Amino acid sequence: MSPPPPPLAPRRKRAAQALDAALDDAELVGARAALTQGRWQAARSLLVQTGDDWDRRGHRVTVLALEPYSAAWARDWLLAEPDSADAAVLLALALVQRALRGKEKPDRAREACRDAAALVPADPTPWLGLLMLERDPGPEGAVEGLFAEVRDRYADHHHAHHLMVARLAERHAGSGPDPLHEVYDFANRSALHAPADSPLAILPVVAHAERYRVLAAAGHEPGDPAASGHWSGRRARQVLKAAFDWWLEWEHEGHPRRLVDLNFLAHAKVCEGRGAEAAALFHRIGEHATPAPWSYPDRDPHPAFRAARATVLGRA
């Protein structure tokens, strides 16, 4: 039996206070609201419409899967349409999220992801689910193998590259700052080999922030990122300039996860002390803050975002 839907008013209140993983995808917001009430037909229509736009599909399925009852509603959908690959993928990602919250056995989530992958062999999304599931506890070889499965299906998968950067940044955590750390090489190579209009151009900035997270947690950097010299070295300045110059000329504003990149770039510009450049990014971001990197290393991301934005935009 499916669970009862939660009351509408408290959920709206919570959503207004939280950082919204849907970012600026209004169609996704609508489908998520319907799914929360058990009306999975809106999610069905959304995913049919999304087709094989793999970055957008991964983003939308991941956000829908975050809803507490999405696994139950996906099972209802599968009862109505047993051959639905979209329902199977949503169920798989929902079980991954439950497993990450400690509410589902990881093996059940893995099995669901592999079942979904068998239904849609060209879709990288079930493999993204496995990569999300294994990112923290999985051995190095397993993570790299899953990343390769994603790339075999879509070489420039945005979310998968971010997950790999976060994982690689955690290697050699106790060794201290290292400008030649492998995460920088991975990010640079990925950006270099991506298409000219791909937001993977921002990946070296993401790598810099992820490495700061690790170094700060290990005591090698201060807990206040703006007080750290991590963004002031020669290499960091070159990376930030290249990324900002690329953004100024970027003409493809429709990428579903571009606001994730803009948050990383704005955070870096704040830490670098480039207020005017940060202000331009904050204007483009609007209210769409993301937990990473404003939470780094252990901060409350929403107040950190608002304080940084207020400072560079001149508002108290």
Side-chain angles (χ1 to χ4, degrees), residues 52 54 57 83 85-86 88-89 113-128 148-154:
D52 61 358
W54 298 127
R57 178 174 171 83
D83 297 327
D86 287 343
V89 172
C113 286
R114 294 191 181 277
D115 288 346
L119 281 176
V120 275
D123 187 355
T125 312
W127 296 99
L128 175 68
E149 294 284 358
V150 174
R151 290 198 76 245
D152 284 347
R153 290 157 177 82
Y154 180 47

Side-chain angles (χ1 to χ4, degrees), residues 156-291:
D156 304 310
H157 200 288
H158 188 273
H159 196 165
H161 276 82
H162 275 239
L163 290 172
M164 278 302 293
V165 163
R167 175 61 182 254
L168 290 174
E170 292 165 3
R171 291 182 178 173
H172 315 299
S175 61
D178 177 4
L180 301 179
H181 191 278
E182 62 192 289
V183 72
Y184 301 134
D185 182 57
F186 172 84
N188 290 335
R189 281 188 288 104
S190 298
L192 181 65
H193 294 143
D197 61 351
S198 169
L200 292 182
I202 306 293
L203 205 60
V205 176
V206 177
H208 210 70
E210 294 292 356
R211 189 58 183 163
Y212 163 76
R213 169 181 61 83
V214 175
L215 291 171
H220 295 294
E221 293 284 356
D224 179 1
S228 169
H230 189 67
W231 282 267
S232 61
R234 180 171 174 240
R235 184 198 163 280
R237 291 196 303 271
Q238 290 174 338
V239 164
L240 294 181
K241 183 180 186 306
F244 188 77
D245 289 348
W246 176 87
W247 173 71
L248 289 175
E249 297 189 10
W250 192 37
E251 297 178 352
H252 299 273
E253 284 289 309
H255 193 278
R257 283 171 48 90
R258 71 193 183 284
L259 289 161
V260 175
D261 295 298
L262 295 189
N263 273 271
F264 271 97
L265 190 51
H267 175 268
K269 286 296 178 181
V270 169
C271 294
E272 190 188 15
R274 308 280 291 193
E277 294 174 353
L281 291 156
F282 278 119
H283 282 302
R284 187 59 60 89
I285 291 167
E287 295 292 331
H288 300 295
T290 55

Side-chain angles (χ1 to χ4, degrees), residues 25-50 60-61 64 73 77 81 86 90:
D25 190 333
E27 293 175 304
L28 174 58
V29 170
R32 180 182 59 187
L35 184 65
T36 302
Q37 298 303 307
R39 293 180 283 118
W40 50 263
Q41 294 85 354
R44 179 187 187 279
S45 297
L46 181 74
L47 296 180
V48 168
Q49 169 197 330
T50 306
R60 286 176 163 175
V61 173
L64 291 172
W73 302 136
W77 180 359
E81 298 181 2
D86 287 343
L90 177 58

Side-chain angles (χ1 to χ4, degrees), residues 87-139:
V89 172
L90 177 58
L91 176 60
L93 272 288
L95 293 178
V96 166
Q97 292 299 332
R98 286 181 56 81
L100 291 173
R101 295 194 298 266
K103 296 183 179 298
E104 184 64 73
K105 292 181 179 179
D107 283 346
R108 289 188 64 186
R110 291 187 188 96
E111 181 181 4
C113 286
R114 294 191 181 277
D115 288 346
L119 281 176
V120 275
D123 187 355
T125 312
W127 296 99
L128 175 68
L130 286 167
L131 186 60
M132 294 167 65
L133 187 63
E134 303 292 357
R135 204 205 71 75
D136 289 329

